Amino acid sequence: MSAQFFNRIGQLGLGVALVGGVVNSALYNVDGGHRAVIFDRFTGVKNQVVGEGTHFFIPWIQRPVIFDIRSRPRNIPTVTGSKDLQNVNITLRILFRPVPDQLPKIYTILGVDYDDRVLPSITTEVLKAVVAQFDAGELITQRELVSQKVNEELTERAAQFGVILDDIALTHLTFGKEFTQAVELKQVAQQEAERARFLVEKAEQQKQASVISAEGDAAAAELLAKSFGEAGEGLVELRKIEAAEDIAYQLSRSRQVSYLPAGQNVLLNLPTQ
């Protein structure tokens, strides 16, 4: 009796285990920030998009395909040419995510690795078209305008494939070796030109100062000649007296000059015979 009871319990446990295994194999989880697309062996990809949570599917017949619908970053380097035929190295940083309602279409046409198939090609296409509208110098001075054009055209192009671009940024922009050397030589030439212009202006100012000084000397000489003609030798005598007064004043302030009364022998202070 007890043996039959334990056999029934064993059979029941085995049945429960089998049922549990079957049920577990028919369950799948969709984590937060993800969506699932169901592939059916008989009907193909279903148009329904499965949201977050635990869901049932038919094993062997159906297979869930999980997509991450959160924004993800991607850096895409591209080499293109400017309007003046200069090589330009550009790196574009993109934050992208799929449109949840278009996941069945994305999986059918592009697959799970849709970003590898779409983003590099459309980014290169748009960058070549936009950069070709600007010269190398304009790419630097009008970088915001270039970024805006790339943003608008790339967003419109990605929407055709069911991809949303949340942010687009030009993170790296360099030119070829020849252009970089040409820019450096141009800067050196501009500095030399500024230096030459400064020297010319300085020489011109010195020339004007010399002319003004010469004109002043000529005017002074003319006034002196006129004064001599009017006052005769009296003006010369007056200048001599003024010069003598100035010399006497300077000697009086000097400590190395002494004054003695007239008639004394200064050499050895000896009395006169």
Side-chain angles (χ1 to χ4, degrees):
M1 186 72 180
S2 60
Q4 294 179 353
F5 176 75
F6 285 113
N7 288 333
R8 289 183 179 180
I9 292 179
Q11 293 174 356
L12 181 61
L14 181 60
V16 171
L18 291 175
V19 172
V22 172
V23 171
N24 185 56
S25 64
L27 294 176
Y28 68 96
N29 293 323
V30 179
D31 297 331
H34 294 73
R35 295 292 185 272
V37 174
I38 301 298
F39 172 75
D40 193 290
R41 291 182 180 273
F42 299 106
T43 60
V45 178
K46 294 183 176 296
N47 292 327
Q48 180 183 3
V49 178
V50 183
E52 301 168 358
T54 301
H55 307 276
F56 286 98
F57 72 102
I58 303 175
W60 190 81
I61 297 177
Q62 294 181 338
R63 176 170 56 88
V65 180
I66 308 298
F67 282 87
D68 188 351
I69 63 170
R70 297 171 296 184
S71 293
R72 290 180 292 163
R74 186 185 180 105
N75 293 326
I76 302 177
T78 302
V79 179
T80 182
S82 62
K83 186 177 180 180
D84 53 351
L85 304 180
Q86 297 295 333
N87 290 330
V88 184
N89 300 315
I90 299 180
T91 299
L92 207 63
R93 184 179 184 274
I94 300 175
L95 285 178
F96 70 95
R97 57 188 174 89
V99 179
D101 294 338
Q102 298 188 24
L103 287 177
K105 179 181 177 181
I106 292 174
Y107 180 68
T108 301
I109 299 176
L110 301 174
V112 179
D113 56 344
Y114 64 93
D115 54 322
D116 293 330
R117 298 175 182 268
V118 173
L119 293 181
S121 61
I122 65 173
T123 299
T124 302
E125 174 190 348
V126 170
L127 282 177
K128 287 182 179 294
V130 173
V131 172
Q133 303 175 15
F134 297 88
D135 293 336
E138 294 174 344
L139 291 175
I140 300 175
T141 59
Q142 302 182 24
R143 184 164 180 167
E144 293 183 0
L145 178 60
V146 175
S147 179
Q148 180 181 354
K149 283 182 171 292
V150 171
N151 196 335
E152 293 174 355
E153 297 187 16
L154 191 57
T155 300
E156 181 180 356
R157 193 78 174 87
Q160 300 175 2
F161 296 92
V163 179
I164 300 174
L165 303 182
D166 293 325
D167 183 65
I168 301 173
L170 293 174
T171 59
H172 185 70
L173 178 62
T174 59
F175 301 94
K177 183 178 180 180
E178 295 79 5
F179 179 78
T180 303
Q181 292 177 350
V183 171
E184 293 176 353
L185 292 176
K186 182 179 179 180
Q187 292 177 348
V188 172
Q190 288 178 346
Q191 293 175 356
E192 292 294 335
E194 290 293 331
R195 176 178 174 83
R197 187 167 63 86
F198 171 76
L199 293 176
V200 170
E201 291 179 353
K202 182 178 179 181
E204 187 66 25
Q205 292 176 357
Q206 292 177 349
K207 179 180 177 181
Q208 292 179 358
S210 300
V211 171
I212 293 173
S213 178
E215 291 176 351
D217 293 340
E222 184 179 356
L223 290 176
L224 286 174
K226 183 178 179 180
S227 299
F228 286 148
E230 293 178 355
E233 297 295 330
L235 182 61
V236 177
E237 295 296 330
L238 177 61
R239 291 291 184 263
K240 289 181 179 180
I241 294 173
E242 291 177 352
E245 288 180 352
D246 184 64
I247 293 172
Y249 176 75
Q250 295 296 333
L251 291 176
S252 66
R253 294 174 60 86
S254 177
R255 297 181 179 180
Q256 298 178 358
V257 179
S258 60
Y259 297 90
L260 298 176
Q264 293 186 2
N265 192 344
V266 185
L267 182 58
L268 297 175
N269 198 16
L270 298 176
T272 57
Q273 298 294 333

